[in-house]
Amino acid sequence: MTDRRIPTARLGADGPEVGVQGLGCMGMSFAYGPTDADASRATLERALELGVTLYDTADAYGAGENEKFLSPFFKAHRDEVVIATKFALSIPPDEPTRRVIRNDTPYIRQAVEASLKRLDVDAIDLYYMHRRDPNVPIEETVATMADLVREGKVKHLGLSEVTGTELRTAQAVHPIAAVQSEWSLFSRDIETGVVPAARDLGVALVPYSPLGRGFLTGSFADADKDLTADDFRRHQPRFTGDNAAANTALLDPIRTIAEAHGASLGQIALAWVQQQADVHGLTVVPIPGTRKPTRVEENAAATRIELTEEQLALLEPIAGKVAGDRYADMTFTSAGRE
């Protein structure tokens, strides 16, 4: 594996310059079954060697444990990394498995102080609203976030799972550097409203789950049979039962293209997401998650794969054939409000 560093891109008009591929860190502490702290630390270091500089976490990942886990790595490489974290998913003290969406000013101020403390930094580079509470005007939420920028606690603002209209409204209050939404060969709903708005406004798109939560790599075929009981993918409709069987068949064209490039399925899926920057005319910085150094090497190498027009055409119909939604409850996604 070569140590060739990946190219860079800027998030928004005045946002940070980062590697064109980031690293989703949630699984190092939360959601995807048993973890290996040493392997995760090695993954963080290897990613940085390869030019991956955007590291994504959230206060809800393991109820703050993910931020704590990442803190020593961030401290050791503070001038080299861009720290992205999020607020909005409040955890009731008496119901640790429940999440309540909050976008109100008192909660935002409480959340940012808690994240700063867990991360042990003076400022968060990119602070996202994780999910949208439609009962709070987005202008109010972004105004509070803008205050955090003026106070030096946050450097740049991001939004996650917002609609195109919500993004335009937010941008009128304060510059938004990035929008984070699910985008992959299996999930393309954001192309209707969010992607055009981001392009028009000069906002970067940061796709999460660009590998379809691992399904697009072929690493599992049925969540109920292949994954541990504590893996939350067992609760996502497209990964179980008849849906999983139907969706597994959709990997065949990806496999064909992978063989042509001498690449893995995951690399083709990532190359497709990276190439959407040219297709749609905007900055795209996906954040595939992994806990293995070898996998981050594989992912980074995908930035050097260019799919032909014929190959893009072969992949085009996949999303329209996917069985099952990406969440059991889609109301808190942008697609649920578009």
Side-chain angles (χ1 to χ4, degrees):
M1 171 61 64
T2 177
D3 277 357
R4 180 176 167 188
R5 290 172 66 85
I6 63 175
T8 61
R10 188 168 298 282
L11 301 181
D14 300 306
E17 186 172 354
V18 299
V20 294
Q21 186 181 107
L23 181 63
C25 301
M26 178 180 76
M28 295 180 179
S29 308
F30 172 72
Y32 292 144
T35 62
D36 183 328
D38 289 339
S40 292
R41 292 187 189 99
T43 300
L44 293 168
E45 296 287 351
R46 186 66 180 126
L48 188 58
E49 290 172 353
L50 294 169
V52 175
T53 55
L54 177 64
Y55 293 82
D56 186 86
T57 182
D59 59 1
Y61 298 163
E65 290 303 312
N66 194 233
E67 289 179 327
K68 292 179 183 177
F69 174 77
L70 295 169
S71 178
F73 171 74
F74 291 155
K75 206 170 186 66
H77 301 285
R78 188 65 190 97
D79 295 335
E80 303 170 81
V81 301
V82 173
I83 301 170
T85 192
K86 315 177 193 74
F87 73 88
L89 298 180
S90 172
I91 304 172
D94 55 341
E95 297 179 86
T97 61
R98 188 175 170 229
R99 300 291 184 271
V100 177
I101 300 175
R102 290 187 59 181
N103 291 172
D104 56 284
T105 296
Y107 180 75
I108 296 171
R109 288 199 164 277
Q110 171 189 325
V112 73
E113 295 298 341
S115 285
L116 287 167
K117 183 176 181 180
R118 285 189 294 263
L119 292 165
D120 193 19
V121 295
D122 295 327
I124 295 164
D125 298 314
L126 179 59
Y127 199 42
Y128 286 102
M129 180 189 76
H130 202 163
R131 290 293 185 270
R132 168 96 171 94
D133 177 2
N135 295 313
V136 179
I138 196 165
E139 299 94 326
E140 292 183 14
T141 301
V142 176
T144 299
M145 296 170 72
D147 286 341
L148 301 181
V149 175
R150 284 186 283 272
E151 293 164 14
K153 296 175 181 178
V154 169
K155 295 181 182 178
H156 305 283
L157 302 185
L159 303 171
S160 180
E161 287 289 358
V162 294
T163 67
T165 298
E166 289 165 349
L167 174 57
R168 293 178 190 279
T169 301
Q171 179 78 1
V173 177
H174 188 278
I176 304 298
V179 168
Q180 185 175 134
S181 291
E182 187 166 352
W183 199 9
S184 72
L185 282 168
F186 268 23
S187 301
R188 298 181 58 180
D189 51 75
I190 68 168
E191 292 175 24
T192 301
V194 183
V195 169
R199 180 189 61 232
D200 293 348
L201 299 171
V203 176
L205 230 302
V206 177
Y208 73 83
S209 299
L211 294 172
R213 300 195 184 278
F215 195 88
L216 288 166
T217 70
S219 61
F220 73 98
D222 187 312
D224 282 338
K225 298 176 181 177
D226 302 335
L227 303 178
T228 57
D230 57 348
D231 194 307
F232 96 116
R233 289 171 289 186
R234 289 165 63 104
H235 304 289
Q236 294 185 292
R238 61 181 48 166
F239 301 141
T240 58
D242 292 342
N243 287 347
N247 293 336
T248 296
L250 299 178
L251 302 183
D252 288 344
I254 307 174
R255 190 171 285 108
T256 298
I257 296 170
E259 291 173 357
H261 282 273
S264 68
L265 273 71
Q267 285 179 316
I268 299 305
L270 272 177
W272 180 88
V273 175
Q274 301 273 180
Q275 211 156 324
Q276 297 312 296
D278 295 327
V279 172
H280 292 279
L282 77 167
T283 299
V284 177
V285 180
I287 48 170
T290 184
R291 300 175 289 201
K292 298 178 180 179
T294 53
R295 191 69 74 188
V296 85
E297 291 172 352
E298 177 184 324
N299 292 346
T303 63
R304 299 191 289 276
I305 296 175
E306 185 170 352
L307 304 177
T308 66
E309 290 297 326
E310 292 77 11
Q311 290 168 342
L312 289 172
L314 189 62
L315 297 172
E316 183 65 24
I318 291 176
K321 299 177 181 178
V322 173
D325 284 329
R326 50 193 176 100
Y327 291 104
D329 179 3
M330 289 287 287
T331 60
F332 61 88
T333 69
S334 61
R337 298 190 305 280
E338 284 283 13

